[in-house]
Amino acid sequence: MSQVEQNVHPGMNLGYSGDTKHAEVNVFGFWLFLMSDLVTFGIVFAVFGTMTGATAGGPGPEEVTNLHSIALQTALLLGSSFGFSWASLSMKYHDERWRTLGWLAIAATSALGFLVIEFIDFLHWIEIGAVPQRSGYLSALWALVGLHGLHVTAGLLWMGTITAQILRFGLTDKVKSRVTRMGLYWHFLDVVWVGIFSMVFLAGVA
Amino acid sequence: MNIFGRLHWDDLKLWEVFHDFSIDSLVASGAAWGAVFAFVALIGWITYLGRWGWLYREWLTTVDHKKIGIMYMIMGFVMFARGIAEGVAMRSHQATALDGGVLSAYHYAELFSTHGTIMIFFVAMPFINGFINYLVPLQIGSRDMAFPMLNQISLALTATGAALCMISLVVGAFETGGWTAYPPFTSAAFDPGPGPDYWVWAIAISGFGSTFSGINYSVTIYKMRAPGMKFMFMPVFTWTALCTGILMTFALPPLTVAAIMQALDRYLDFHFFTNDLGGNMMNYANLFWMFGHPEVYILILPAYGIFSELVSTFGAKRIYGYTSLVIATMSIAVLSFMVWLHHFFTMGNSATVNVAFGIATGLIAIPTGVKVYVWMTTLWRGRIRFTVPIVYMAGFLILFTIGGFSGIILANPSINWQVHNTQFVVAHFHNVLLPGLLFGTLAGVHIWFPKAFGFRLDERAGKITAMLWIVGFCLTFLPLYVVGLMGYPRRSAAFDDPAFVPYMIVCVIGAFILLTAFAGLFATLYISIRNRDRLAVPLGDPWDGRTLEWATPSPPPPWNFPVIPEVVSRDAFAKEKSEGRPYVLPPEYRDIHLPPPTAAGLVIFLATTAFGFAMTWYMWWLAILSVVVVIGWLVMRSFREHEEVVIPAVEVRRVNNAWIEAIQLGKGVNRDHETSSANRGYAASDYLKEGA
């Protein structure tokens, strides 16, 4: 395979065939899905923006923000994204299933760590009475952070499925195409998280 | 815990009339019994015909875009029957509504809520989805949608929403806050009952389906066009489908988010839209109309596309001002996102905000006006044949322009302050949706029915029906402008001004004419099926069509085209005809690979319907089970390797050669005789002279 062909679809190396074309269609469709999902997040962000003052005497941004925890969560989620990048690159340049699976495992563990710490934060919020039923502000906070957490959870389920598929089928064209789409999703969630920590947590205590 | 949640025997509407007899309960129970009987009769009929296996293999598991399109249309017409019946019930009530009325206020509120919800989400949306599904792959020279299985799943999710609305007719009640379901009126504090929950799940679940459809349409048009088909070669309908696809991708998420936030308020006691603890119902109004206004254009743009194809086909000219039509379509799609606030001019915005949105709203009239002129100039000096689609077109051009003008009136905030929430608004949106979307749909059915089923619809019955629609529309909705200006509020179950009565009588007469027109559709269909041999057009081009879908037999084979066509110009088929080389045998045939049938849609339909029903009635175990089924099934399925359906080259050759041979034996029919039985779908084109 020439260098040019290798670079046609970064991370996939599917070669020229009918399948290549359909892989392109799939990835483009997935981009559109992500754009649509970004609108969803944008809407929830906007609702949060209008409700930052609606604390109704309940806990506000100062009470719910623990910057140490947020820093750790950010590091873990960005680390997970970084791990996934290496999984994509190893798929592209080495085409060895164990190497790819190793990086995927790192990405998954890191994301799991993110979820655990987020969960501990949630427990703390419940402890101090910062439950979504308390005020419009807290409803919006839980919905936004929760929606992101739900996306990460779904992503982990997806990553588990892909791992099983790599074990079962190896790095076939179809599986590679799925890893590529999963990568888009995973980095997208990172971008959304950057929005959450800067607009919800940093801006909340600034 | 009760396994039936909060569902109780008494929630069945069927018994209501026996407990407490009145006209009101008779209407409610009668409708419930009617729905149950229709359902049982349908099941019995299919069983009697022994068609379950056929139904499963040929329709319920198919991923063929043409069959999915047809199923969307059938769903639309079934739900249309209910929507019309509700409309007639409301008008009958209004005719007696001076200081009262035959129905209870609660029942009337349920009627306008279900009527609006069903007409928008489960009649209008299936209609446009039906057309886009059927036509786009054929018009762009593709074998199918980009994602055939996702297409089937979208249909299933829409069907779930429709099913939940139908279930609410029999079990429990629907909400009473209109199709917009504004909280806090639909919040748990005001209405703890099942009605708003039915709405929430019907809308949220079908909303996901529409988002997926939008993605599918956009990707199909971007990526699956036949070689040579540049964007500016695409048929106008495909252009409108592309804009609709983009709008659906971006406009549906606000609705889904709003519906789910409403669910969080109702189920988990959140405070997004409540009256207390920081809730803000204006957020709901904004979210809903951020979806709601683009939605209007999601519905009307494909109808514009149909009218554009119609004028050039039945005017026998290429479309005048193709480029401006495309630009106008795109402009409308962009502007549609900038106007949503005009739905609440009176809810306390600053004058500056109102002016900005008023101007943006008025601006939409410009591209729409461009379109009207383009259609008129296309018809100008064309060789128009006065067929059924042209009758609808004539009604559309005049009535839709009136509706558009009333929209410009409403776009002015200061006038809007006077007429908002009156029947004037009701008149306006029916005035654009009926002549626009509905006439477009019915005209489109007349144009493409022969493509889908191989025979034309009866012209005479079709014309009578079209006239009934036009007259019925005028009588039912134009008087509402007058009573609206006189101050009759909308959604009001009763009024106290005797001056409204004569208008309401005219309205109810019109409503019954519309009901007759609806029956006329079935009469047309019945007459046409009976005479289908005389009306048959198997050769595929009954109207001397211009775009690629007419270059196939009727009905087209599952693979659409034996070889993917090469496109060199706009109006690709007209170009071939003008150059005297249509219907050429391809030099070689290849095996064709098609996606395999799948039960995905069926599984997802059953599971999500169970989910919506379970959530409405608090049967948590069933809700969890159905979510597990959906996720588990999708994960399991991703492990299965699917064999493609392979159509061998010899089979493609056999089918295609037989068709070409039939054309060579056939005699071309001049368009003056295209409504006669001599029309077998082989048009004697005179594009040669015109030079297309």
Side-chain angles (χ1 to χ4, degrees), chain B residues 164-198:
Chain B
L164 288 174
C165 284
M166 290 313 286
I167 291 171
S168 80
L169 187 63
V170 183
V171 188
F174 205 70
E175 48 101 8
T176 51
W179 77 283
T180 54
Y182 270 13
F185 187 74
T186 51
S187 70
F190 284 77
D191 187 351
D197 299 327
Y198 271 125

Side-chain angles (χ1 to χ4, degrees), chain B residues 356-593:
Chain B
F357 280 83
I359 291 171
T361 305
L363 280 179
I364 289 193
I366 296 171
T368 311
V370 167
K371 282 176 174 259
V372 173
Y373 283 116
V374 163
W375 295 322
M376 290 198 301
T377 38
T378 304
L379 288 170
W380 176 255
R381 291 190 172 168
R383 290 186 51 202
I384 302 170
R385 298 93 84 190
F386 206 63
T387 49
V388 177
I390 286 285
V391 177
Y392 281 115
M393 183 82 208
F396 163 77
L397 272 179
I398 296 162
L399 296 173
F400 185 81
T401 307
I402 297 173
F405 277 131
S406 65
I408 298 176
I409 293 171
L410 286 169
N412 183 330
S414 48
I415 302 179
N416 194 289
W417 271 74
Q418 294 302 313
V419 289
H420 81 95
N421 246 354
T422 68
Q423 298 284 352
F424 190 90
V425 178
V426 180
H428 162 69
F429 66 70
H430 284 89
N431 198 170
V432 283
L433 279 174
L434 267 88
L437 175 102
L438 182 67
F439 289 8
T441 299
L442 298 176
V445 167
H446 270 269
I447 300 171
W448 283 289
F449 185 92
K451 176 49 57 189
F453 296 101
F455 59 99
R456 287 177 291 122
L457 289 170
D458 187 87
E459 283 288 317
R460 212 170 80 92
K463 269 183 202 157
I464 295 170
T465 306
M467 292 311 294
L468 283 171
W469 280 112
I470 292 171
V471 172
F473 162 77
C474 292
L475 289 178
T476 312
F477 296 106
L478 296 185
L480 297 184
Y481 282 120
V482 183
V483 290
L485 290 173
M486 288 160 73
Y488 182 175
R490 66 169 167 165
R491 291 174 180 161
S492 167
F495 55 82
D496 56 9
D497 187 345
F500 300 156
V501 173
Y503 294 100
M504 289 300 109
I505 304 255
V506 175
C507 283
V508 74
I509 293 171
F512 277 96
I513 295 177
L514 287 178
L515 191 64
T516 319
F518 185 67
L521 296 176
F522 289 90
T524 309
L525 187 65
Y526 174 74
I527 293 169
S528 313
I529 291 176
R530 221 180 39 186
N531 296 324
R532 62 184 176 279
D533 294 335
R534 197 167 54 75
L535 296 167
V537 285
L539 303 181
D541 181 24
W543 315 122
D544 198 5
R546 309 180 60 87
T547 38
L548 281 176
E549 78 268 28
W550 302 108
T552 59
S554 293
W559 52 87
N560 289 355
F561 301 96
V563 290
I564 295 299
E566 294 263 351
V567 178
V568 292
S569 76
R570 236 170 256 169
D571 289 351
F573 188 45
K575 173 87 170 169
E576 283 181 13
K577 289 194 275 192
S578 75
E579 291 175 349
R581 48 166 197 85
Y583 311 117
V584 192
L585 283 173
E588 67 165 331
Y589 292 93
R590 292 202 180 156
D591 290 355
I592 290 175
H593 299 255

Side-chain angles (χ1 to χ4, degrees), chain B residues 616-637:
Chain B
T616 302
W617 293 102
Y618 297 1
M619 300 177 205
W620 310 122
W621 64 272
L622 182 58
I624 294 167
L625 181 68
S626 41
V627 171
V628 170
V629 166
V630 170
I631 296 176
W633 194 85
L634 285 175
V635 170
M636 298 294 278
R637 199 189 173 284

Side-chain angles (χ1 to χ4, degrees), chain A residues 15 40 47 67 72 102 131 134 137 147 167 171 194 206:
Chain A
T40 302
V47 169
L67 282 182
L72 195 53
V131 289
R134 179 62 189 80
Y137 163 72
L147 181 70
L167 288 171
L171 287 173
V194 171

